[in-house]
Amino acid sequence: MALAREENSPLFAGSVAGTLRLIFYLALAMVLMVLDHRNGWLWRLRYNAAIVVEPVYRLAGLPSAGMRTLSVAFADRKLLTEQNQRLREDLLLANAKLNRMAAVAEQNQRLKELLDTQRSLELNVQLARVIGMDMGQASHRLVLNRGDRDGIKQGQVVIDAHGVIGPIVEVLPTTSVVMLVTDPNHAVPVVVERTGLRTVAFGSRDGGQLSLPNVPMAADVKAGDKLLTSGLGGRFPPGFPVGEVRSVGQSASGMFLEARARPTADIDRSEDVLLLHDQAEPAGPPPPSTPAGPPAALAPVSGSSSASPPVSTSVASPATPAAAVQP
């Protein structure tokens, strides 16, 4: 069956004019293709058209690009916030560890100083830790974690690596109370290390200092003098540092000099202290001293007595003539 020819198509019309028109179009297309291949006219046209159309593309893509930018910005902000929070936590943890390490190092240094003090002085001591403090105006006291169950006795002296802290004034089953040397109700016999002057150092109410109110007017006491325990009274063993003189002035009565001293012990910073026990007294009389012999140059050489003959001398009596003396 023959295909029906479309009546309204001018290109495939059966007339001669339609055939010539088709040939003309085909020839024109071939000429344009050759010219475009040689001169690049179509590429230039596309290039110029792209310049004109590109802003339209950019304008059409602005909403989607803006949404992507916002989503990335919010995501990056959230990520940066989380990272910043983690870094802050890590920094706080590192600072806490560093502070803890510094505190442990300082504590180890203090324990080392206490141990060196014990070894250098060969003391019979017991280590205790400070668990409480009362630094009011009327009393200066410390609470230790040692008590009657640990063998602590009232009157024991407490020291640290730098000096005397004070005596034990109250003993409980598991704790004990120390009266500091700066307590207003405390007094300790001291001696000035430089001159040997003996006096008494009292506690004071102003700033944890020591007061020496009964220094003679003619005494040689000046700032920088070291105060040591004198041993008088039998409570404090002699030779332990107590304080250092800071100032010397005339007392209120005008009859004595009054000196102010700073305690040698780290009263407000000590965490570990030493409790002195009574030193054991030697049993029995002291050992006899070794008699000193003649000098080594005059001592007889071992075995020389048999080699040399003994020398015999006779002392003549008054009645014996001189000729009777044997050489």
Side-chain angles (χ1 to χ4, degrees):
M1 184 177 66
L3 295 175
R5 182 177 296 177
E6 191 173 343
E7 297 296 338
N8 60 354
S9 178
L11 184 60
F12 296 98
S15 62
V16 178
T19 303
L20 294 177
R21 193 182 300 115
L22 175 60
I23 294 173
F24 174 75
Y25 288 155
L26 291 176
L28 181 60
M30 292 179 64
V31 171
L32 292 176
M33 291 174 62
V34 171
L35 293 177
D36 178 63
H37 179 71
R38 290 185 176 181
N39 299 324
W41 289 348
L42 189 59
W43 178 82
R44 293 178 184 177
L45 180 62
R46 288 197 303 267
Y47 182 81
N48 294 328
I51 294 176
V52 176
V53 176
E54 184 180 3
V56 179
Y57 285 157
R58 290 181 178 272
L59 184 61
L62 281 179
S64 61
M67 293 298 297
R68 285 196 302 269
T69 303
L70 289 177
S71 62
V72 171
F74 281 117
D76 290 345
R77 181 179 178 84
K78 182 179 179 181
L79 180 61
L80 290 175
T81 303
E82 294 177 354
Q83 291 180 351
N84 192 13
Q85 183 64 26
R86 286 197 300 269
L87 290 176
R88 286 183 179 180
E89 294 176 357
D90 294 342
L91 180 60
L92 290 177
L93 181 60
N95 288 335
K97 290 182 178 180
L98 183 62
N99 293 334
R100 178 59 180 167
M101 290 178 62
V104 171
E106 184 178 358
Q107 182 180 6
N108 290 340
Q109 180 63 26
R110 292 176 180 175
L111 290 175
K112 181 179 180 297
E113 293 176 355
L114 290 176
L115 184 60
D116 293 342
T117 301
Q118 177 186 0
R119 290 179 177 177
S120 61
L121 299 179
E122 297 182 355
L123 300 175
N124 183 15
V125 297
Q126 185 176 2
L127 183 65
R129 178 174 288 274
V130 178
I131 60 175
M133 179 179 296
D134 179 13
M135 300 296 289
Q137 186 176 5
S139 64
H140 298 170
R141 305 194 176 195
L142 297 179
V143 181
L144 307 182
N145 65 340
R146 302 290 184 182
D148 184 62
R149 296 179 182 178
D150 303 296
I152 305 302
K153 304 297 182 183
Q154 187 173 356
Q156 279 187 249
V157 179
V158 180
I159 65 172
D160 66 359
H162 306 285
V164 176
I165 292 181
I168 297 290
V169 294
E170 184 179 358
V171 180
L172 301 176
T174 58
T175 59
S176 55
V177 180
V178 184
M179 178 185 291
L180 302 180
V181 292
T182 56
D183 190 284
N185 299 318
H186 185 269
V188 53
V190 296
V191 58
V192 179
E193 182 181 22
R194 182 175 59 88
T195 61
L197 174 68
R198 288 186 175 89
T199 183
V200 179
F202 296 88
S204 62
R205 299 179 182 271
D206 49 349
Q209 295 184 350
L210 297 175
S211 174
L212 289 75
N214 300 322
V215 178
M217 295 291 293
D220 182 13
V221 180
K222 61 183 180 179
D225 284 343
K226 306 293 184 181
L227 303 178
L228 308 177
T229 53
S230 63
L232 298 180
R235 168 173 287 188
F236 296 92
F240 283 93
V242 176
E244 180 179 349
V245 177
R246 288 301 186 186
S247 61
V248 180
Q250 195 170 7
S251 63
S253 62
M255 301 178 60
F256 296 95
L257 294 176
E258 183 175 3
R260 294 284 180 172
R262 179 186 63 85
T264 306
D266 290 333
I267 294 176
D268 54 346
R269 294 186 299 171
S270 295
E271 297 181 358
D272 298 280
V273 295
L274 297 176
L275 292 94
L276 291 179
H277 290 276
D278 294 335
Q279 303 296 318
E281 297 292 339
S289 59
T290 304
L298 301 180
V301 181
S302 177
S304 61
S305 58
S306 58
S308 60
V311 180
S312 60
T313 57
S314 301
V315 180
S317 60
T320 306
V325 178
Q326 299 293 333

